[in-house]
Amino acid sequence: MSRFCRITGTGSYLPPRRLTNADLAAELAVKGIETSDEWIVERTGIRARHFADEGVGSSDLAAQAGLRALEAAGITAADVDLIIVATSTPDMVFPSTATMVQHKIGAAGCPAFDVQAVCTGFIYGLSVAHAMLQAGSARRALVIGAEVFSRILDFKDRTTCVLFGDGAGAVVLELADAPGILATDLHADGRHRDILCVPGHVSGGSVLGDPVLKMDGQAVFKLAVGVLEETARTSLAKAGLNEGDIDWLIPHQANIRIMQSTARKLKLPLEKVVVTVDQHGNTSAASIPLALDLAVRDGRIVRGQTLMLEGVGGGFTWGSVLLRY
Ligand code: ACO
């Protein structure tokens, strides 16, 4: 028997500390690092980002976003029987951020685990939740993307530290009588692991390697635009739809130029693309559910519309979820 799954609630949370490009440029200037609002806006489209205060972890942001998604779905934490958190900035090596979120939202007993696919993490998490619901392993999943990327940035490297922000976004995915999720498509290629990575690890009681983000921006850009078009087309083909059926494209929010280029390749006007990168920066696994929640709450996305969610990130990983909202 095929089972359908649909998103019944969305939620998000941004830490209150907001830094405009000018604020960040002023902080960096104190360290002798030069950048400007003009450079950042022109190359990336980013105008501001949010940074979590010291002591606030991904699980704190995730729990807030999760509770808002539960409220929107009209259910409580006790109704959830699966929790998946996508993050590259977990609170600890272990236990998982998902188990911390489970406790913080007041749930217990259901399976809870993290997925690690960097900026594609939410797409991976949503696809895994969908597969588990279809397999009969759960009825109601809470899927969250949450990051405190500010903790892994090198604030001496102006080519990367201006790009990222912190935040969390969440959805409740439930079994339903009608779709719902129409198609999913996931990929990874570890040959490209070095172009975007945080090459550090914990060993023998010390942090070894360099635990801050390293990126070859131009290599990432080239790979990203190719695979974002490819995965969108694959999900459309699996569902028997075409680009014209997409009401909203909700891509990972890395850089406005990657998003413009993807929209152009898919022959979608920019008016059909949900853009938050200007206000949030790149929040990695949180960026897609944050953008989704924003557009649901401001009334742009309405029930019955067809949404293309797609991401690309370190690994390299990429993938998409096509759904009827
Ligand atoms: N402020 C001012 N100048 C800067 C800054 C900055 N923040 N950063 C770099 N520059 C300077 C460089 O030093 C260089 O100066 P030079 O010509 O005197 O040597 C000049 O700007 C150009 O630098 P490039 O690195 O060549 O700039 P580029 O045009 O490639 O833009 C960027 C860099 C924005 C990172 C671009 O490569 C890009 O968009 N890449 C995509 C990567 C991305 O978005 N990653 C996000 C994470 S990946 C993901 O989420 C999938």
Side-chain angles (χ1 to χ4, degrees), residues 211-232:
V212 288
L213 188 140
K214 314 277 177 196
M215 180 176 74
D216 176 344
Q218 285 172 14
V220 167
F221 196 105
K222 276 185 211 139
L223 261 171
V225 290
V227 297
L228 285 170
E229 180 191 9
E230 197 178 290
T231 187

Side-chain angles (χ1 to χ4, degrees), residues 32 286 301:
I301 292 176

Side-chain angles (χ1 to χ4, degrees), residues 3-323:
R3 296 177 168 90
F4 297 120
C5 303
R6 60 187 275 270
I7 289 175
T8 55
T10 66
S12 61
Y13 181 77
L14 289 161
R17 189 155 64 96
R18 178 176 182 272
L19 281 91
T20 62
N21 290 343
D23 297 332
L24 184 60
E27 283 193 9
L28 292 174
V30 176
K31 299 174 186 159
I33 310 293
E34 208 184 306
T35 189
S36 65
D37 175 55
E38 198 186 1
W39 191 96
I40 301 169
V41 172
E42 189 193 312
R43 306 286 176 124
T44 71
I46 297 167
R47 294 178 185 277
R49 78 283 295 139
H50 291 248
F51 283 163
D53 286 336
E54 215 175 300
V56 174
S58 285
S59 72
D60 298 306
L61 309 184
Q64 292 301 322
L67 286 169
R68 290 176 184 183
L70 293 176
E71 190 185 12
I75 62 171
T76 69
D79 300 318
V80 168
D81 54 13
L82 172 65
I83 298 171
I84 300 178
V85 175
T87 186
S88 295
T89 48
D91 291 25
M92 297 181 187
V93 172
F94 72 77
S96 69
T97 304
T99 58
M100 298 186 196
V101 171
Q102 182 187 43
H103 179 63
K104 285 179 182 173
I105 65 173
C110 72
F113 60 90
D114 290 0
V115 297
Q116 160 60 294
V118 201
C119 305
T120 322
F122 181 76
I123 297 294
Y124 267 65
L126 191 57
S127 302
V128 170
H130 177 234
M132 288 182 71
L133 263 61
Q134 283 202 311
S137 309
R139 300 181 58 80
R140 286 196 184 102
L142 180 60
V143 185
I144 306 174
E147 302 284 11
V148 284
F149 247 61
S150 56
R151 306 284 156 72
I152 52 168
L153 297 178
D154 178 356
F155 286 98
K156 292 185 292 303
D157 176 6
R158 67 177 181 175
T159 66
T160 54
C161 73
V162 301
L163 303 176
F164 296 89
D166 302 340
V171 302
V172 173
L173 188 73
E174 297 193 49
L175 284 176
D177 296 333
I181 291 190
L182 303 170
T184 65
D185 181 54
L186 297 180
H187 299 275
D189 186 344
R191 283 177 300 176
H192 305 297
R193 63 195 180 280
D194 294 335
I195 63 170
L196 181 56
C197 59
V198 177
H201 66 284
V202 176
S203 176
S206 306
V207 175
L208 301 186
D210 198 357
V212 288
L213 188 140
K214 314 277 177 196
M215 180 176 74
D216 176 344
Q218 285 172 14
V220 167
F221 196 105
K222 276 185 211 139
L223 261 171
V225 290
V227 297
L228 285 170
E229 180 191 9
E230 197 178 290
T231 187
R233 291 200 184 283
T234 303
S235 278
L236 285 168
K238 284 184 185 176
L241 299 180
N242 59 50
E243 311 99 299
D245 296 312
I246 298 173
D247 292 304
W248 291 103
L249 177 66
I250 307 168
H252 168 50
Q253 311 278 321
N255 181 314
I256 192 67
R257 292 190 297 147
I258 295 179
M259 293 158 72
Q260 285 164 339
S261 171
T262 307
R264 217 170 17 246
K265 281 168 179 273
L266 293 173
K267 299 188 184 68
L268 291 174
L270 255 193
E271 295 72 52
K272 287 192 170 189
V273 184
V274 179
V275 176
T276 56
V277 70
D278 56 332
Q279 295 304 318
H280 302 169
N282 179 346
T283 57
S284 192
S287 92
I288 296 169
L290 258 164
L292 171 66
D293 182 53
L294 201 92
V296 165
R297 286 177 192 261
D298 71 20
R300 273 179 288 170
I301 292 176
V302 296
R303 288 282 170 202
Q305 288 184 329
T306 301
L307 315 183
M308 173 66 78
L309 279 48
E310 60 170 350
V312 55
F316 232 58
T317 56
W318 65 100
S320 56
V321 173
L322 181 65
L323 63 94

